[in-house]
Amino acid sequence: VSTQSTGSSGINAEYGHVIIKDFPQLSIKEKTQLRRFIVMMDIFYDRNVKLIISSDVPLHDIICLQDADQKAKDELRMLMDDLKLTMEEAKSMSLFTGEDEVFSQKRALSRLTEMQCADYWDLPHKKHE
């Protein structure tokens, strides 16, 4: 996944099928690439783009969630220390927990799985208007 603009909105407008070869495992350590991949997945999913990915890791491991959960916990601890917050105060501020980041990664994995089903492949491609 490039650090440059993926152009995925243009790809899905033109193509109903996309093949990605040698896709790497992504984690929060590659935050920019991971976010671009998630945006691309959302666009492809909404447009019923058929996606084929080859990778050295199984589909359910393409996004390493363990790193994300740990990174979110580490960032929360650092913010709590900096702001002198208690755990209860920090948890009440979902802005600081990283929950949105982890949720989007889990959603992307769920969508990837759904995009492999026959029902999804039977859906017509929705071209961008």
Side-chain angles (χ1 to χ4, degrees):
V1 177
S2 173
T3 57
Q4 304 298 313
S5 176
T6 60
S8 54
S9 60
I11 292 171
N12 86 69
E14 191 67 31
Y15 303 102
H17 296 78
V18 174
I19 299 172
I20 301 174
K21 183 180 174 193
D22 299 327
F23 193 84
Q25 183 181 45
L26 295 175
S27 72
I28 199 69
K29 294 173 189 171
E30 299 89 18
K31 191 178 237 179
T32 300
Q33 294 92 331
L34 180 56
R35 285 181 176 169
R36 289 181 187 276
F37 176 68
I38 290 170
V39 168
M40 182 184 76
M41 286 296 310
D42 288 342
I43 292 169
F44 285 3
Y45 182 83
D46 291 342
R47 297 282 177 204
N48 299 334
V49 173
K50 310 315 181 265
L51 180 62
I52 300 168
I53 298 178
S54 75
S55 179
D56 289 338
V57 297
L59 184 67
H60 62 274
D61 289 334
I62 280 187
I63 298 174
C64 183
L65 294 173
Q66 292 152 341
D67 287 345
D69 289 335
Q70 187 58 48
K71 179 83 171 172
K73 289 176 188 173
D74 292 345
E75 287 177 358
L76 175 60
R77 283 189 199 106
M78 288 189 314
L79 279 169
M80 287 173 54
D81 291 345
D82 291 346
L83 300 174
K84 298 182 184 355
L85 297 172
T86 65
M87 181 60 83
E88 291 77 29
E89 291 170 325
K91 284 187 176 181
S92 71
M93 301 176 185
S94 64
L95 173 68
F96 295 130
T97 65
E99 290 174 5
D100 290 341
E101 196 86 29
V102 174
F103 172 79
S104 67
Q105 294 170 20
K106 289 180 180 179
R107 184 188 68 225
L109 284 174
S110 174
R111 287 182 170 189
L112 267 175
T113 302
E114 183 180 344
M115 291 168 79
Q116 305 311 305
C117 298
D119 288 344
Y120 181 86
W121 278 75
D122 289 341
L123 296 171
H125 174 238
K126 299 177 193 172
K127 292 192 176 193
H128 183 68
E129 298 173 8

